[in-house]
Structure formats: C-alpha cells, structure tokens
Amino acid sequence: MEGMMKDLKDLNFPDDVKYTKDHEWAKKEGDLITIGIDDYAQDQLGEIVFVELPEIGTGFSKGDEFGSVESVKAVSEIYIPVSGEVVEINSSLEDAPELVNQSCYTDGWLIRVKPAQASEFDGLMDKPAYLDMLKG
Amino acid sequence: MRYLPHTQDDIDSMLKVTGHGSLDDLFNCIPDDLKTKQGIDIPESLSEWELNAHMEALASQNIACKTYTCFIGAGSYDHYIPAIIPYLVSRSEFMTAYTPYQPEVSQGTLQGIYEFQSMITELLGMDVATASHYDCGTALAEACLIALRKGGTNNKIAVSSLVHPSHRQIIQTYIRPSGYEMVEIPYTKEGLTDVAALEKMEGIAGIAVQSPNFFGNIENLKAFKTISDAKNSLFIVSFTEALAYGLLKNPGSFGADLVAGEGQSLGIAKSFGGPGLGLLAGTRTQMRNLPGRFIGKTKDANGVDGFVLTLATREQHIRREKASSNICSNNGLNAMTAAMYLATVGKTGIKEIAQQNHDKAAYLKKCLSASGFEPAFDTPFFNEFVMKAAKGFEEKRKTLVRNNCIFAGMDLEPFYPELKGNYLFCATETVSKEDMDHLAKEVKS
C-alpha cells in the first residue's frame, strides 16, 4: 500500500557498497568514492521532492553535513561517510529528485568524492554489520 | 474562521473530560511563584455608550491624517482606500486574530493568499513571493540573511545609506548576533547610492538598494546588478512605496535575486505607523531559501483544484533548529487587504494612480521652488523629493501643524545630519492642487 514503509526483508542492500549509521552508502570506484542514501533511508523519507548538494570542490571531514534531502514529510540532513573533496555531483537530481526513490544505488547517487585517506572507507559497515544495526 | 470564546458550559464539559475539578486544578503544574496572587487591576466595566465616549476622547488626542493635509511619506504613505476594501476585509471570515491554514476549513483564506502571492510576483517581476512578512524592514533583514548564509567567506552585506533608516536599524539588529557585518554604501551629490564606492568594497555577500530610495530618487538598478554579478553576490532590491511599480520597470527586469518591500500603500491605513505589510519575493533559485509561508495550488483526491501550505518542510515547526528563520507566520489580514486593493484597481488603475502621484509630486516641487525652496537633487523621482528650505522654515512648519492642519515635509537632519535645513516632501493622489497651492503660499519667504 502506498505510504506504508517496507519490512527490512523487502529492502535492497547490495553487497558491493558500505553503509553508515545515518543510512548513507559509499562505493569505491577506482580512486573515487560514490555516495548516496540507501534503500532504508529513501523508504523512510517517502516521496523525495528536492535534493540539496554541495558545490564541486568543497572539502568535508567524515561525518560533516554535506547537503539535505527534502521529502513531502521532512527535510533530512545527509552526512558524508568519508573525508574528502567533492569532484562530481549528480546534477540530474535537480530536475528529477525522484531518481533517489527509484534507484538509490545507481541513477540516484548523490556525490563523488576524492577521499582524503583510504582507511576511512575500510572502516565503514558492510552489509551484515549494517543489517545487524538496523535490527537493533 | 470565526473566533468564539469558551462559555462556562464549554469549560465545565472540557474539565469533565480531562478529569480536573477547576481551571486552577488544570494549571497546577505551573509553579506557584509564577502565578499572580492578586486579581487583575482593571476598572469596572462601562456601558457601550460610556465606552464609545471614552475611546473617542482618547482617539481625539491623536493627530490623524484624515483631518490633516499630509506632505510626508518617508515609508508610510497617505493613499485613498476604496470603500469596498474595508467592507470586504472586515468580514469576520477574514478579520480574526487567527490565520487559519487548515486546507479542509480554509480554502477561502488560502486562495486569497495565493492570489496575493501571484499578484505580488507580477508587480515585482519575480518568480515566487511568500505569503507576506511583518513589514519591509523585517522582510529586508531576512533577505540580507539569505545572502549572508550563502556567502561563504564573504560575510558582509552592503546596504545603501539611502535604504530607510529604520530598516537599516532592523538589519543591524538581526545580523549583529550572527557574526556578520553590515557596511553602508554612501550616497552621491545626486542623491543616489554611490556605485563607485560599492565597486571598491570587498567580501560582499549581498547588495541591498532601495528604489525609489529614501530621498524619493529612482536608482539605476542595472548598474548594481552588474556589480553584484562581478562580486558573485546576491542583488536585493527594497522599496517603501509599492505604488511606484505601477510606473517603474520592476526589480525582476533588472535581475534582482530578492525583493523586499513595504506593501502599506496597497490599501492599508497608516495606523500611526503600523502594522504594515512585508513583501518578500525571489527568483526560483531562491525559493527554498525564502523564510515564511507559501500557499500553493494543487488538486485534491477528487481532482478538484485546491490550495494548501506548501514547502513547509523548510519551516521551524518542522525543521526545528535547522530552519533558516523563526518566521512561521504571515501578516494575513494585511496581505488579504493588499490582494483586494490590487484586484480593485487592476493593471490600468495602478498605473493611473502611480502617474497621478508622480504628476502631483512634480507640481508640488515646482510650487515649492517658486516659493523660495531649492531642490536638493536634480534626479528623477517618484512621489517624494528633497528640498532645501529657506531660513525660518522650521518655525513655520511647526505653526502649520498647530494652526493649519498641514504636515509640511519631514526634517532630514535627525537621519542625515549633513542635510541640515533639508526636508523630504511627498505628494500622493490624496492631495489636491488647492492643497499644494495653499502650502506654497503659506511657506513663501
């Protein structure tokens, strides 16, 4: 039914990305790390109407707020999983923020960063650890 | 939505539900030392007749523009208010202490505010307008904060020294605790904001210019837009006389990012200085940065047009401390009044009224010049202008208020000490040729 949040078992958590406690995902792609919000976050937020992203070239430390996602219910801040500099943003979200709902791990990605230190990525949760956290 | 106070029966039945014996019992969570012990000291009630007499006696101590001829504007303007406006706006559905936003009971109010927003965007040439703010000063301060928040290391707002002095004070009050800085742009001997001085300023996140400015002169907004772009800052236009835009090219056509203005001229009585009506509009890019309420048009479950609060997720009641402003309301009744005024006068009416204002002001300037006054500036103006008075005018001005029921201009010295002996005059459509000829005769030196 529309508007109902899904059960954990119905949510999609790929094996090839890492997760944070604030429900962002991070994926290593060559020297860069792609970042987005995961299926749990997009499902909780509901219909996303606007995504605010940083400017290319901005530097962040792990855990910094780097933007916000606005749904019909609320505005949620998004926090960066690893320190680094923003090298690319998903500008198609400007006109199509619903991509985050439709395909949060592919077309609905948010930003690409050049990480400041590789070890931060390795320290993020993998799928089993993240699922344990969600189950509490 | 009507405001109906509770009767004792209402109170009793509600107390029954909550399980409290009395109102005191209901409020017993409030510490004793915060409660008043003695009763409220107010006099015995009066009969309707006595009360009317009492209020009229109090009111007659005021000098009201109704019985006076007013040649002062300076942010609060004497305009004719068509009879239909007080009649409509005093309907109890509109005139309530409470602005009802619930779409299921308030479609009329919501549509009224939506129409207001639409007309304001058209008047100013902007993409979006909020549901209104308290007055120009607070709207302008919010606009400055939008620019400063986006400014990064640029933490200064450049404000023209010809922005209304009270509005500059309000901006100071708003930004002082936030670590930002307001710098004033001086004015030239033409009575215009000094473009060259602005060009040299650094670290500017936003530029605020009033047009017509406090001296009534029309600023060259195009020049400020160019500098604003070069400095990568936001361009903010303000105004105190909304009717000017019945004639002047609107701020949107000059590329303003934000417009903050006073809407008192749009059918709202001067009421001894307030409440006014804060207009705040922006480009589409600024939509989510604008504080306050927006009403949007949508379709309900049956596909029928309807009106609701929209973009409320930005606001304090949802976003808490992350909200960009604590403004969570609007100036509902005055916004409704302005919408009624604009709908009443229409597109051609506002142009005609604006033209009358300018023509009368031009005539007044001519009359005063013939009476020995000297124009302080030779610059295009709307309905206000500055004149250097002949010696002895200050005494004459006081006599005119006392004996002739005429407000003959405003002394600029308290706001601009260097302009000692200069007065700001205003003529609106409400003054007649006879009024102006009479003034000119009285002040002839």
Side-chain angles (χ1 to χ4, degrees):
Chain A
M1 208 168 82
E2 201 182 308
M4 285 259 286
M5 278 175 277
K6 292 179 185 166
D7 263 357
L8 268 190
K9 64 177 168 33
D10 299 322
L11 293 170
N12 172 28
F13 297 110
D15 293 310
D16 60 347
V17 306
K18 299 262 200 172
Y19 299 90
T20 72
K21 65 172 175 37
D22 299 307
H23 317 293
E24 289 90 12
W25 58 263
K27 186 179 183 180
K28 208 172 208 162
E29 290 178 323
D31 290 341
L32 303 179
I33 291 175
T34 304
I35 291 163
I37 65 167
D38 69 20
D39 205 21
Y40 177 85
Q42 74 75 22
D43 183 58
Q44 291 275 325
L45 282 165
E47 193 186 330
I48 289 165
V49 294
F50 184 67
V51 183
E52 185 195 4
L53 295 175
E55 279 178 37
I56 290 170
T58 318
F60 290 101
S61 301
K62 179 184 161 118
D64 281 354
E65 182 186 324
F66 71 94
S68 65
V69 178
E70 179 182 335
S71 76
V72 291
K73 289 191 270 186
V75 180
S76 299
E77 288 72 36
I78 32 184
Y79 303 97
I80 202 152
V82 294
S83 310
E85 185 193 317
V86 180
V87 292
E88 207 181 329
I89 61 169
N90 186 356
S91 50
S92 52
L93 298 180
E94 207 175 302
D95 293 321
E98 65 275 13
L99 289 174
V100 179
N101 291 118
Q102 288 160 6
S103 45
C104 62
Y105 301 104
T106 53
D107 294 342
W109 65 278
L110 302 180
I111 58 169
R112 284 206 174 95
V113 298
K114 192 174 174 174
Q117 54 210 77
S119 58
E120 277 182 353
F121 178 81
D122 299 330
L124 297 172
M125 284 179 271
D126 58 11
K127 179 179 174 177
Y130 182 61
L131 280 176
D132 282 348
M133 187 204 85
L134 285 182
K135 285 171 192 155
Chain B
M1 182 182 281
R2 283 153 202 259
Y3 174 74
L4 300 169
H6 297 141
T7 63
Q8 192 56 48
D9 278 354
D10 294 333
I11 294 171
D12 290 344
S13 69
M14 285 190 280
L15 285 174
K16 212 177 216 170
V17 173
T18 63
H20 293 89
S22 66
L23 278 180
D24 284 342
D25 191 15
L26 176 67
F27 294 125
N28 72 359
C29 56
I30 299 170
D32 261 353
D33 58 330
L34 296 178
K35 294 183 192 162
T36 52
K37 300 289 180 298
Q38 60 280 66
I40 302 169
D41 183 23
I42 50 169
E44 285 288 297
S45 65
L46 300 175
S47 70
E48 185 177 322
W49 184 15
E50 290 168 317
L51 182 63
N52 274 337
H54 176 68
M55 297 310 280
E56 272 163 23
L58 287 178
S60 69
Q61 292 177 30
N62 289 320
I63 293 177
C65 281
K66 227 174 181 171
T67 48
Y68 277 61
T69 313
C70 185
F71 293 102
I72 301 180
S76 184
Y77 300 89
D78 203 35
H79 289 297
Y80 181 69
I81 299 173
I84 190 173
I85 289 165
Y87 170 73
L88 283 177
V89 86
S90 56
R91 286 183 61 116
S92 63
E93 295 94 327
F94 296 127
M95 194 171 273
T96 156
Y98 177 69
T99 310
Y101 296 113
Q102 298 92 319
E104 59 275 30
V105 292
S106 307
Q107 282 302 305
T109 299
L110 293 171
Q111 181 173 0
I113 300 173
Y114 178 82
E115 304 293 353
F116 162 79
Q117 293 172 179
S118 305
M119 288 188 269
I120 295 303
T121 54
E122 203 169 323
L123 182 69
L124 303 178
M126 303 303 285
D127 298 325
V128 287
T130 70
S132 77
H133 295 261
Y134 300 131
D135 47 36
C136 177
T138 53
L140 181 56
E142 292 284 358
C144 292
L145 282 174
I146 292 173
L148 288 164
R149 266 187 232 109
K150 293 278 156 186
T153 51
N154 291 340
N155 65 348
K156 290 182 201 156
I157 183 92
V159 179
S160 162
S161 54
L162 300 181
V163 163
H164 193 294
S166 307
H167 301 168
R168 277 179 280 139
Q169 268 185 4
I170 295 171
I171 297 170
Q172 281 285 23
T173 306
Y174 266 58
I175 69 170
R176 198 178 295 127
S178 53
Y180 299 125
E181 194 189 332
M182 174 178 124
V183 285
E184 285 198 11
I185 315 167
Y187 66 89
T188 63
K189 61 181 190 329
E190 287 84 31
L192 293 169
T193 309
D194 191 339
V195 178
L198 171 64
E199 215 154 8
K200 291 192 205 97
M201 292 178 170
E202 279 172 24
I204 303 297
I207 296 167
V209 178
Q210 178 182 319
S211 184
N213 65 30
F214 192 66
F215 295 161
N217 296 329
I218 298 159
E219 296 278 359
N220 174 10
L221 295 180
K222 200 174 162 198
F224 294 100
K225 171 64 180 171
T226 311
I227 298 182
S228 181
D229 284 350
K231 292 191 184 298
N232 196 21
S233 66
L234 289 189
F235 179 34
I236 304 166
V237 175
S238 83
F239 57 86
T240 56
E241 174 52 289
L243 283 178
Y245 289 100
L247 276 184
L248 300 180
K249 263 179 87 173
N250 61 42
S253 63
F254 291 104
D257 294 294
L258 295 160
V259 182
E262 177 58 55
Q264 177 267 326
S265 291
L266 307 175
I268 297 158
K270 294 165 75 165
S271 306
F272 303 99
L277 174 66
L279 309 174
L280 184 56
T283 56
R284 201 182 162 80
T285 320
Q286 298 303 328
M287 180 170 72
R288 285 185 159 75
N289 301 327
L290 288 168
R293 308 243 111 146
F294 287 121
I295 308 300
K297 187 176 170 188
T298 186
K299 289 203 187 300
D300 70 8
N302 302 320
V304 179
D305 280 350
F307 300 89
V308 289
L309 274 181
T310 190
L311 291 168
T313 42
R314 307 162 295 118
E315 290 187 80
Q316 185 186 234
H317 66 287
I318 293 182
R319 236 190 151 189
R320 300 291 173 185
E321 78 279 8
K322 297 271 185 183
S324 55
S325 166
N326 65 355
I327 294 293
C328 231
S329 186
N330 77 323
N331 214 345
L333 190 67
N334 281 357
M336 199 66 75
T337 308
M340 288 169 181
Y341 180 87
L342 287 167
T344 303
V345 301
K347 262 188 182 173
T348 47
I350 192 170
K351 208 172 158 183
E352 265 178 52
I353 299 169
Q355 187 68 53
Q356 275 197 33
N357 273 259
H358 176 66
D359 292 349
K360 289 192 172 179
Y363 181 76
L364 179 63
K365 192 174 180 182
K366 209 176 83 186
C367 290
L368 291 173
S369 300
S371 290
F373 285 63
E374 205 182 305
F377 312 108
D378 181 25
T379 305
F381 60 97
F382 177 60
N383 65 359
E384 288 179 276
F385 54 90
V386 179
M387 297 297 269
K388 190 167 172 42
K391 236 182 149 171
F393 173 67
E394 183 55 33
E395 216 24 66
K396 179 73 194 168
R397 201 173 66 97
K398 286 177 182 145
T399 319
L400 286 174
V401 177
R402 258 196 317 268
N403 302 344
N404 303 62
C405 298
I406 296 174
F407 292 116
M410 191 187 78
D411 184 5
L412 280 174
E413 193 189 346
F415 309 103
Y416 301 89
E418 68 278 13
L419 291 180
K420 185 174 164 61
N422 284 268
Y423 293 81
L424 182 63
F425 283 90
C426 176
T428 69
E429 78 282 7
T430 61
V431 295
S432 65
K433 180 171 180 296
E434 291 71 39
D435 292 333
M436 293 187 279
D437 290 341
H438 179 58
L439 175 69
K441 206 176 118 215
E442 285 289 340
V443 300
K444 197 168 177 119
S445 49

